[in-house]
Amino acid sequence: MTHDGWREWAPGIRVVVRRLRDDSPAPGEPRYTDVLGDLLKVDDEGVLVRTRRGDVHVPARAIALTKVVPPAPPRRRPRSL
């Protein structure tokens, strides 16, 4: 995992970004959360990642750790009864 290597990324890869939470976690709750998905955009302001729940912008100042990860496995079709 790296901290500044994300600045070299090209859109289209799958990544995980550990970010400092932008809310105020309660005592005992984690200060960080992970964003996993396909990279859409990289600039000096941060990264834009398409997750299963939608697009997430992670500001540069909130990025703690980053990693390129393998493509997602194919989704399974629901079994019929």
Side-chain angles (χ1 to χ4, degrees), residues 1-2 9-10 12-18 34-39 49-51 65-73:
M1 288 197 172
T2 63
W9 287 347
I13 60 174
R14 189 164 184 252
V15 300
V16 62
V17 178
R18 178 154 294 169
D34 292 336
V35 177
L36 171 67
D38 297 320
L39 184 67
V49 179
R50 176 156 293 155
T51 72
L65 296 170
T66 61
K67 185 176 181 181
V68 175
V69 295

Side-chain angles (χ1 to χ4, degrees), residues 3-23:
H3 176 64
D4 285 330
W6 60 268
R7 294 178 190 277
E8 309 300 318
W9 287 347
I13 60 174
R14 189 164 184 252
V15 300
V16 62
V17 178
R18 178 154 294 169
R19 64 167 292 162
L20 186 63
R21 288 175 51 176
D22 54 3
D23 59 357

Side-chain angles (χ1 to χ4, degrees), residues 6-7 9 39 41-48 57-58 60 63:
W6 60 268
R7 294 178 190 277
W9 287 347
L39 184 67
K41 181 180 175 185
V42 176
D43 60 25
D44 288 338
E45 302 299 314
V47 296
L48 182 63
H57 177 260
V58 182
I63 297 174

